Amino acid sequence: MSDGVFDAKVAATYDADHGGTDPAHIAQTVDVLADLADGGGALEFAIGTGRIALPLAAKDVPVSGNELSAAMVAEMRKKPGGAYIPVVIGDMCEVRSEGTFSLVFWVFNTIDNLTTQDAQVACFQNAAAHLDPGGRFVIETQLPPLQRLPFGETRLPFAHEPDHWGVDEFDVTTQSYSSHHLWIKDGQAQHLSVPFRYAWPSEMDLMARIAGMTLEHRWADWDRSLFTKDSTKHVSVWRKL
């Protein structure tokens, strides 16, 4: 099984390079997920290095996961508690974990890693197949920043730090984009490009309907604030019918 983009080299520095490690934000995320699990088990799609799964398990929520990259899971196994979380290695669009769950969740823009609409629909269907009746499916992801993209332009910078530059390159005809990273480490430049596909919230609602789920909540962030025209991301919760 190929690790894809997230090989051992990327996995070793993933937490540091890609952020999302603010303790307050993680605690807030975990509190909401534990509440939505409502006393049942949780399954994380693309569990990665365990950034969310480990603190969620520490709140006595039974957590399982799936992950394409064995290298990412190997990093999680090094962390306290990481050896005890069941993980199935494989494509999250089709792999099955044992049993069913009250919560399936995806965080940190992971849906964008699926680069076709068919794959995103398949993942919604796979999530629904893992849910108990009335169970919840949660996605956290950014909104496409196209309002900041001048007409006719295709590139938008998103990082400009002394040791890290980042540029997103968009194709609005296919809803595909690539994130190009350049890091300066030990005096050497390291480059990484990752392909993605963005989907609008309304498009995800249709994917959920195809999979037999309906929208329950849509928030602007994990603080459950109101989702508005000015929001830059969303946390959406669908419930299995």
PDB file of all heavy atoms in Angstrom, residues 30-67:
ATOM      1  N   VAL A  30     -12.081  18.628  20.428  1.00  0.00           N
ATOM      2  CA  VAL A  30     -12.329  17.351  21.095  1.00  0.00           C
ATOM      3  C   VAL A  30     -13.584  17.418  21.953  1.00  0.00           C
ATOM      4  O   VAL A  30     -14.377  16.466  21.997  1.00  0.00           O
ATOM      5  CB  VAL A  30     -11.092  16.951  21.914  1.00  0.00           C
ATOM      6  CG1 VAL A  30     -11.408  15.810  22.872  1.00  0.00           C
ATOM      7  CG2 VAL A  30      -9.953  16.568  20.977  1.00  0.00           C
ATOM      8  N   ASP A  31     -13.806  18.543  22.626  1.00  0.00           N
ATOM      9  CA  ASP A  31     -15.005  18.685  23.454  1.00  0.00           C
ATOM     10  C   ASP A  31     -16.269  18.564  22.602  1.00  0.00           C
ATOM     11  O   ASP A  31     -17.242  17.910  22.996  1.00  0.00           O
ATOM     12  CB  ASP A  31     -14.996  20.027  24.177  1.00  0.00           C
ATOM     13  CG  ASP A  31     -14.032  20.061  25.355  1.00  0.00           C
ATOM     14  OD1 ASP A  31     -13.570  18.980  25.777  1.00  0.00           O
ATOM     15  OD2 ASP A  31     -13.730  21.167  25.834  1.00  0.00           O
ATOM     16  N   VAL A  32     -16.268  19.207  21.431  1.00  0.00           N
ATOM     17  CA  VAL A  32     -17.441  19.143  20.556  1.00  0.00           C
ATOM     18  C   VAL A  32     -17.643  17.728  20.031  1.00  0.00           C
ATOM     19  O   VAL A  32     -18.761  17.197  20.014  1.00  0.00           O
ATOM     20  CB  VAL A  32     -17.308  20.147  19.391  1.00  0.00           C
ATOM     21  CG1 VAL A  32     -18.454  19.969  18.383  1.00  0.00           C
ATOM     22  CG2 VAL A  32     -17.299  21.576  19.918  1.00  0.00           C
ATOM     23  N   LEU A  33     -16.564  17.074  19.602  1.00  0.00           N
ATOM     24  CA  LEU A  33     -16.675  15.715  19.078  1.00  0.00           C
ATOM     25  C   LEU A  33     -17.170  14.749  20.153  1.00  0.00           C
ATOM     26  O   LEU A  33     -18.010  13.876  19.874  1.00  0.00           O
ATOM     27  CB  LEU A  33     -15.330  15.258  18.524  1.00  0.00           C
ATOM     28  CG  LEU A  33     -14.866  15.959  17.245  1.00  0.00           C
ATOM     29  CD1 LEU A  33     -13.436  15.556  16.901  1.00  0.00           C
ATOM     30  CD2 LEU A  33     -15.794  15.641  16.068  1.00  0.00           C
ATOM     31  N   ALA A  34     -16.666  14.892  21.367  1.00  0.00           N
ATOM     32  CA  ALA A  34     -17.122  14.021  22.451  1.00  0.00           C
ATOM     33  C   ALA A  34     -18.614  14.223  22.708  1.00  0.00           C
ATOM     34  O   ALA A  34     -19.352  13.252  22.954  1.00  0.00           O
ATOM     35  CB  ALA A  34     -16.312  14.295  23.716  1.00  0.00           C
ATOM     36  N   ASP A  35     -19.067  15.467  22.640  1.00  0.00           N
ATOM     37  CA  ASP A  35     -20.484  15.762  22.827  1.00  0.00           C
ATOM     38  C   ASP A  35     -21.313  15.127  21.709  1.00  0.00           C
ATOM     39  O   ASP A  35     -22.361  14.519  21.957  1.00  0.00           O
ATOM     40  CB  ASP A  35     -20.685  17.273  22.867  1.00  0.00           C
ATOM     41  CG  ASP A  35     -22.127  17.660  23.160  1.00  0.00           C
ATOM     42  OD1 ASP A  35     -22.746  17.042  24.038  1.00  0.00           O
ATOM     43  OD2 ASP A  35     -22.649  18.580  22.494  1.00  0.00           O
ATOM     44  N   LEU A  36     -20.832  15.237  20.468  1.00  0.00           N
ATOM     45  CA  LEU A  36     -21.578  14.688  19.335  1.00  0.00           C
ATOM     46  C   LEU A  36     -21.572  13.163  19.332  1.00  0.00           C
ATOM     47  O   LEU A  36     -22.502  12.533  18.814  1.00  0.00           O
ATOM     48  CB  LEU A  36     -20.987  15.213  18.023  1.00  0.00           C
ATOM     49  CG  LEU A  36     -21.156  16.711  17.756  1.00  0.00           C
ATOM     50  CD1 LEU A  36     -20.379  17.128  16.517  1.00  0.00           C
ATOM     51  CD2 LEU A  36     -22.631  17.078  17.610  1.00  0.00           C
ATOM     52  N   ALA A  37     -20.532  12.546  19.889  1.00  0.00           N
ATOM     53  CA  ALA A  37     -20.495  11.083  19.981  1.00  0.00           C
ATOM     54  C   ALA A  37     -21.575  10.563  20.925  1.00  0.00           C
ATOM     55  O   ALA A  37     -22.009   9.409  20.797  1.00  0.00           O
ATOM     56  CB  ALA A  37     -19.116  10.619  20.446  1.00  0.00           C
ATOM     57  N   ASP A  38     -21.979  11.396  21.883  1.00  0.00           N
ATOM     58  CA  ASP A  38     -23.142  11.099  22.733  1.00  0.00           C
ATOM     59  C   ASP A  38     -23.019   9.745  23.432  1.00  0.00           C
ATOM     60  O   ASP A  38     -23.967   8.960  23.485  1.00  0.00           O
ATOM     61  CB  ASP A  38     -24.418  11.152  21.887  1.00  0.00           C
ATOM     62  CG  ASP A  38     -25.680  11.276  22.734  1.00  0.00           C
ATOM     63  OD1 ASP A  38     -25.570  11.735  23.890  1.00  0.00           O
ATOM     64  OD2 ASP A  38     -26.760  10.895  22.246  1.00  0.00           O
ATOM     65  N   GLY A  39     -21.816   9.458  23.945  1.00  0.00           N
ATOM     66  CA  GLY A  39     -21.612   8.239  24.705  1.00  0.00           C
ATOM     67  C   GLY A  39     -21.231   7.025  23.882  1.00  0.00           C
ATOM     68  O   GLY A  39     -20.953   5.951  24.444  1.00  0.00           O
ATOM     69  N   GLY A  40     -21.192   7.151  22.559  1.00  0.00           N
ATOM     70  CA  GLY A  40     -20.851   6.034  21.686  1.00  0.00           C
ATOM     71  C   GLY A  40     -19.426   6.108  21.177  1.00  0.00           C
ATOM     72  O   GLY A  40     -18.642   6.974  21.573  1.00  0.00           O
ATOM     73  N   GLY A  41     -19.086   5.209  20.274  1.00  0.00           N
ATOM     74  CA  GLY A  41     -17.755   5.171  19.699  1.00  0.00           C
ATOM     75  C   GLY A  41     -17.614   6.110  18.518  1.00  0.00           C
ATOM     76  O   GLY A  41     -18.592   6.521  17.891  1.00  0.00           O
ATOM     77  N   ALA A  42     -16.359   6.463  18.213  1.00  0.00           N
ATOM     78  CA  ALA A  42     -16.063   7.396  17.129  1.00  0.00           C
ATOM     79  C   ALA A  42     -15.047   6.784  16.176  1.00  0.00           C
ATOM     80  O   ALA A  42     -14.121   6.086  16.600  1.00  0.00           O
ATOM     81  CB  ALA A  42     -15.532   8.716  17.690  1.00  0.00           C
ATOM     82  N   LEU A  43     -15.219   7.076  14.898  1.00  0.00           N
ATOM     83  CA  LEU A  43     -14.300   6.627  13.852  1.00  0.00           C
ATOM     84  C   LEU A  43     -13.771   7.852  13.130  1.00  0.00           C
ATOM     85  O   LEU A  43     -14.554   8.646  12.598  1.00  0.00           O
ATOM     86  CB  LEU A  43     -15.018   5.712  12.866  1.00  0.00           C
ATOM     87  CG  LEU A  43     -14.242   5.284  11.619  1.00  0.00           C
ATOM     88  CD1 LEU A  43     -13.039   4.423  11.996  1.00  0.00           C
ATOM     89  CD2 LEU A  43     -15.151   4.533  10.642  1.00  0.00           C
ATOM     90  N   GLU A  44     -12.445   8.012  13.112  1.00  0.00           N
ATOM     91  CA  GLU A  44     -11.850   9.129  12.385  1.00  0.00           C
ATOM     92  C   GLU A  44     -11.344   8.664  11.033  1.00  0.00           C
ATOM     93  O   GLU A  44     -10.512   7.762  10.950  1.00  0.00           O
ATOM     94  CB  GLU A  44     -10.701   9.771  13.164  1.00  0.00           C
ATOM     95  CG  GLU A  44     -10.104  10.960  12.402  1.00  0.00           C
ATOM     96  CD  GLU A  44      -9.073  11.765  13.166  1.00  0.00           C
ATOM     97  OE1 GLU A  44      -8.701  11.354  14.282  1.00  0.00           O
ATOM     98  OE2 GLU A  44      -8.645  12.817  12.639  1.00  0.00           O
ATOM     99  N   PHE A  45     -11.846   9.279   9.970  1.00  0.00           N
ATOM    100  CA  PHE A  45     -11.315   9.054   8.635  1.00  0.00           C
ATOM    101  C   PHE A  45     -10.019   9.844   8.493  1.00  0.00           C
ATOM    102  O   PHE A  45      -9.954  11.018   8.836  1.00  0.00           O
ATOM    103  CB  PHE A  45     -12.314   9.516   7.574  1.00  0.00           C
ATOM    104  CG  PHE A  45     -13.393   8.511   7.247  1.00  0.00           C
ATOM    105  CD1 PHE A  45     -13.742   7.515   8.136  1.00  0.00           C
ATOM    106  CD2 PHE A  45     -14.065   8.569   6.030  1.00  0.00           C
ATOM    107  CE1 PHE A  45     -14.731   6.590   7.831  1.00  0.00           C
ATOM    108  CE2 PHE A  45     -15.046   7.655   5.710  1.00  0.00           C
ATOM    109  CZ  PHE A  45     -15.392   6.656   6.604  1.00  0.00           C
ATOM    110  N   ALA A  46      -8.965   9.185   7.975  1.00  0.00           N
ATOM    111  CA  ALA A  46      -7.646   9.806   7.828  1.00  0.00           C
ATOM    112  C   ALA A  46      -7.138  10.261   9.192  1.00  0.00           C
ATOM    113  O   ALA A  46      -6.918  11.440   9.439  1.00  0.00           O
ATOM    114  CB  ALA A  46      -7.671  10.950   6.830  1.00  0.00           C
ATOM    115  N   ILE A  47      -6.905   9.300  10.065  1.00  0.00           N
ATOM    116  CA  ILE A  47      -6.552   9.584  11.460  1.00  0.00           C
ATOM    117  C   ILE A  47      -5.180  10.227  11.588  1.00  0.00           C
ATOM    118  O   ILE A  47      -4.891  10.906  12.563  1.00  0.00           O
ATOM    119  CB  ILE A  47      -6.641   8.287  12.291  1.00  0.00           C
ATOM    120  CG1 ILE A  47      -6.664   8.591  13.793  1.00  0.00           C
ATOM    121  CG2 ILE A  47      -5.525   7.315  11.937  1.00  0.00           C
ATOM    122  CD1 ILE A  47      -7.025   7.382  14.646  1.00  0.00           C
ATOM    123  N   GLY A  48      -4.307  10.027  10.588  1.00  0.00           N
ATOM    124  CA  GLY A  48      -3.020  10.706  10.562  1.00  0.00           C
ATOM    125  C   GLY A  48      -2.140  10.387  11.758  1.00  0.00           C
ATOM    126  O   GLY A  48      -1.994   9.238  12.165  1.00  0.00           O
ATOM    127  N   THR A  49      -1.588  11.435  12.354  1.00  0.00           N
ATOM    128  CA  THR A  49      -0.675  11.274  13.491  1.00  0.00           C
ATOM    129  C   THR A  49      -1.393  11.305  14.832  1.00  0.00           C
ATOM    130  O   THR A  49      -0.750  11.374  15.883  1.00  0.00           O
ATOM    131  CB  THR A  49       0.401  12.372  13.466  1.00  0.00           C
ATOM    132  OG1 THR A  49      -0.230  13.652  13.620  1.00  0.00           O
ATOM    133  CG2 THR A  49       1.194  12.352  12.161  1.00  0.00           C
ATOM    134  N   GLY A  50      -2.726  11.272  14.806  1.00  0.00           N
ATOM    135  CA  GLY A  50      -3.479  11.203  16.053  1.00  0.00           C
ATOM    136  C   GLY A  50      -3.685  12.521  16.755  1.00  0.00           C
ATOM    137  O   GLY A  50      -4.005  12.545  17.946  1.00  0.00           O
ATOM    138  N   ARG A  51      -3.549  13.630  16.035  1.00  0.00           N
ATOM    139  CA  ARG A  51      -3.664  14.957  16.630  1.00  0.00           C
ATOM    140  C   ARG A  51      -4.979  15.127  17.387  1.00  0.00           C
ATOM    141  O   ARG A  51      -5.012  15.722  18.474  1.00  0.00           O
ATOM    142  CB  ARG A  51      -3.547  16.013  15.526  1.00  0.00           C
ATOM    143  CG  ARG A  51      -3.661  17.451  15.976  1.00  0.00           C
ATOM    144  CD  ARG A  51      -3.524  18.404  14.776  1.00  0.00           C
ATOM    145  NE  ARG A  51      -4.633  18.272  13.847  1.00  0.00           N
ATOM    146  CZ  ARG A  51      -5.738  19.030  13.885  1.00  0.00           C
ATOM    147  NH1 ARG A  51      -5.849  19.964  14.811  1.00  0.00           N
ATOM    148  NH2 ARG A  51      -6.702  18.863  13.003  1.00  0.00           N
ATOM    149  N   ILE A  52      -6.085  14.602  16.834  1.00  0.00           N
ATOM    150  CA  ILE A  52      -7.397  14.701  17.467  1.00  0.00           C
ATOM    151  C   ILE A  52      -7.789  13.382  18.134  1.00  0.00           C
ATOM    152  O   ILE A  52      -8.382  13.365  19.211  1.00  0.00           O
ATOM    153  CB  ILE A  52      -8.466  15.110  16.433  1.00  0.00           C
ATOM    154  CG1 ILE A  52      -8.134  16.480  15.838  1.00  0.00           C
ATOM    155  CG2 ILE A  52      -9.859  15.125  17.058  1.00  0.00           C
ATOM    156  CD1 ILE A  52      -8.061  17.604  16.848  1.00  0.00           C
ATOM    157  N   ALA A  53      -7.455  12.268  17.519  1.00  0.00           N
ATOM    158  CA  ALA A  53      -7.895  10.968  18.030  1.00  0.00           C
ATOM    159  C   ALA A  53      -7.372  10.691  19.435  1.00  0.00           C
ATOM    160  O   ALA A  53      -8.105  10.164  20.287  1.00  0.00           O
ATOM    161  CB  ALA A  53      -7.451   9.859  17.072  1.00  0.00           C
ATOM    162  N   LEU A  54      -6.115  11.034  19.691  1.00  0.00           N
ATOM    163  CA  LEU A  54      -5.532  10.711  20.999  1.00  0.00           C
ATOM    164  C   LEU A  54      -6.182  11.497  22.146  1.00  0.00           C
ATOM    165  O   LEU A  54      -6.567  10.900  23.159  1.00  0.00           O
ATOM    166  CB  LEU A  54      -4.023  10.926  20.961  1.00  0.00           C
ATOM    167  CG  LEU A  54      -3.264   9.924  20.079  1.00  0.00           C
ATOM    168  CD1 LEU A  54      -1.788  10.307  19.975  1.00  0.00           C
ATOM    169  CD2 LEU A  54      -3.405   8.514  20.632  1.00  0.00           C
ATOM    170  N   PRO A  55      -6.337  12.811  22.041  1.00  0.00           N
ATOM    171  CA  PRO A  55      -7.027  13.508  23.134  1.00  0.00           C
ATOM    172  C   PRO A  55      -8.508  13.135  23.238  1.00  0.00           C
ATOM    173  O   PRO A  55      -9.079  13.177  24.333  1.00  0.00           O
ATOM    174  CB  PRO A  55      -6.836  14.991  22.807  1.00  0.00           C
ATOM    175  CG  PRO A  55      -6.454  15.044  21.376  1.00  0.00           C
ATOM    176  CD  PRO A  55      -5.746  13.778  21.080  1.00  0.00           C
ATOM    177  N   LEU A  56      -9.120  12.743  22.105  1.00  0.00           N
ATOM    178  CA  LEU A  56     -10.520  12.298  22.175  1.00  0.00           C
ATOM    179  C   LEU A  56     -10.606  10.974  22.931  1.00  0.00           C
ATOM    180  O   LEU A  56     -11.500  10.782  23.766  1.00  0.00           O
ATOM    181  CB  LEU A  56     -11.085  12.158  20.764  1.00  0.00           C
ATOM    182  CG  LEU A  56     -12.564  11.770  20.667  1.00  0.00           C
ATOM    183  CD1 LEU A  56     -13.462  12.804  21.344  1.00  0.00           C
ATOM    184  CD2 LEU A  56     -12.978  11.603  19.194  1.00  0.00           C
ATOM    185  N   ALA A  57      -9.688  10.065  22.656  1.00  0.00           N
ATOM    186  CA  ALA A  57      -9.661   8.800  23.389  1.00  0.00           C
ATOM    187  C   ALA A  57      -9.389   9.027  24.875  1.00  0.00           C
ATOM    188  O   ALA A  57      -9.903   8.291  25.730  1.00  0.00           O
ATOM    189  CB  ALA A  57      -8.601   7.881  22.786  1.00  0.00           C
ATOM    190  N   ALA A  58      -8.603  10.053  25.183  1.00  0.00           N
ATOM    191  CA  ALA A  58      -8.296  10.364  26.578  1.00  0.00           C
ATOM    192  C   ALA A  58      -9.536  10.852  27.343  1.00  0.00           C
ATOM    193  O   ALA A  58      -9.539  10.860  28.570  1.00  0.00           O
ATOM    194  CB  ALA A  58      -7.189  11.412  26.654  1.00  0.00           C
ATOM    195  N   LYS A  59     -10.579  11.244  26.596  1.00  0.00           N
ATOM    196  CA  LYS A  59     -11.847  11.644  27.219  1.00  0.00           C
ATOM    197  C   LYS A  59     -12.807  10.449  27.326  1.00  0.00           C
ATOM    198  O   LYS A  59     -14.024  10.632  27.473  1.00  0.00           O
ATOM    199  CB  LYS A  59     -12.491  12.772  26.418  1.00  0.00           C
ATOM    200  CG  LYS A  59     -11.736  14.091  26.498  1.00  0.00           C
ATOM    201  CD  LYS A  59     -12.446  15.195  25.735  1.00  0.00           C
ATOM    202  CE  LYS A  59     -13.721  15.656  26.418  1.00  0.00           C
ATOM    203  NZ  LYS A  59     -13.446  16.409  27.671  1.00  0.00           N
ATOM    204  N   ASP A  60     -12.247   9.248  27.212  1.00  0.00           N
ATOM    205  CA  ASP A  60     -13.018   8.005  27.354  1.00  0.00           C
ATOM    206  C   ASP A  60     -14.018   7.780  26.222  1.00  0.00           C
ATOM    207  O   ASP A  60     -15.030   7.086  26.408  1.00  0.00           O
ATOM    208  CB  ASP A  60     -13.752   7.949  28.712  1.00  0.00           C
ATOM    209  CG  ASP A  60     -12.778   7.897  29.888  1.00  0.00           C
ATOM    210  OD1 ASP A  60     -11.708   7.271  29.735  1.00  0.00           O
ATOM    211  OD2 ASP A  60     -13.089   8.482  30.929  1.00  0.00           O
ATOM    212  N   VAL A  61     -13.734   8.351  25.061  1.00  0.00           N
ATOM    213  CA  VAL A  61     -14.498   8.026  23.860  1.00  0.00           C
ATOM    214  C   VAL A  61     -13.761   6.908  23.127  1.00  0.00           C
ATOM    215  O   VAL A  61     -12.587   7.077  22.788  1.00  0.00           O
ATOM    216  CB  VAL A  61     -14.643   9.255  22.930  1.00  0.00           C
ATOM    217  CG1 VAL A  61     -15.372   8.864  21.641  1.00  0.00           C
ATOM    218  CG2 VAL A  61     -15.382  10.380  23.646  1.00  0.00           C
ATOM    219  N   PRO A  62     -14.379   5.744  22.896  1.00  0.00           N
ATOM    220  CA  PRO A  62     -13.709   4.690  22.133  1.00  0.00           C
ATOM    221  C   PRO A  62     -13.464   5.167  20.700  1.00  0.00           C
ATOM    222  O   PRO A  62     -14.408   5.475  19.976  1.00  0.00           O
ATOM    223  CB  PRO A  62     -14.707   3.528  22.174  1.00  0.00           C
ATOM    224  CG  PRO A  62     -15.631   3.840  23.308  1.00  0.00           C
ATOM    225  CD  PRO A  62     -15.712   5.336  23.389  1.00  0.00           C
ATOM    226  N   VAL A  63     -12.203   5.230  20.281  1.00  0.00           N
ATOM    227  CA  VAL A  63     -11.836   5.794  18.982  1.00  0.00           C
ATOM    228  C   VAL A  63     -11.159   4.734  18.124  1.00  0.00           C
ATOM    229  O   VAL A  63     -10.280   4.012  18.590  1.00  0.00           O
ATOM    230  CB  VAL A  63     -10.886   7.007  19.140  1.00  0.00           C
ATOM    231  CG1 VAL A  63     -10.500   7.565  17.779  1.00  0.00           C
ATOM    232  CG2 VAL A  63     -11.540   8.097  19.989  1.00  0.00           C
ATOM    233  N   SER A  64     -11.586   4.666  16.860  1.00  0.00           N
ATOM    234  CA  SER A  64     -10.912   3.877  15.835  1.00  0.00           C
ATOM    235  C   SER A  64     -10.583   4.811  14.686  1.00  0.00           C
ATOM    236  O   SER A  64     -11.007   5.979  14.665  1.00  0.00           O
ATOM    237  CB  SER A  64     -11.805   2.734  15.348  1.00  0.00           C
ATOM    238  OG  SER A  64     -12.094   1.828  16.390  1.00  0.00           O
ATOM    239  N   GLY A  65      -9.836   4.308  13.709  1.00  0.00           N
ATOM    240  CA  GLY A  65      -9.481   5.161  12.585  1.00  0.00           C
ATOM    241  C   GLY A  65      -9.161   4.372  11.342  1.00  0.00           C
ATOM    242  O   GLY A  65      -8.980   3.155  11.371  1.00  0.00           O
ATOM    243  N   ASN A  66      -9.102   5.095  10.233  1.00  0.00           N
ATOM    244  CA  ASN A  66      -8.517   4.558   9.011  1.00  0.00           C
ATOM    245  C   ASN A  66      -7.522   5.569   8.475  1.00  0.00           C
ATOM    246  O   ASN A  66      -7.580   6.749   8.813  1.00  0.00           O
ATOM    247  CB  ASN A  66      -9.575   4.161   7.972  1.00  0.00           C
ATOM    248  CG  ASN A  66     -10.395   5.343   7.466  1.00  0.00           C
ATOM    249  OD1 ASN A  66      -9.881   6.394   7.139  1.00  0.00           O
ATOM    250  ND2 ASN A  66     -11.710   5.156   7.380  1.00  0.00           N
ATOM    251  N   GLU A  67      -6.597   5.107   7.654  1.00  0.00           N
ATOM    252  CA  GLU A  67      -5.535   5.982   7.161  1.00  0.00           C
ATOM    253  C   GLU A  67      -4.842   5.313   5.978  1.00  0.00           C
ATOM    254  O   GLU A  67      -4.514   4.125   6.025  1.00  0.00           O
ATOM    255  CB  GLU A  67      -4.521   6.257   8.277  1.00  0.00           C
ATOM    256  CG  GLU A  67      -3.290   7.039   7.860  1.00  0.00           C
ATOM    257  CD  GLU A  67      -3.607   8.412   7.304  1.00  0.00           C
ATOM    258  OE1 GLU A  67      -4.313   9.181   7.981  1.00  0.00           O
ATOM    259  OE2 GLU A  67      -3.150   8.694   6.177  1.00  0.00           O
TER     260      GLU A  67
END
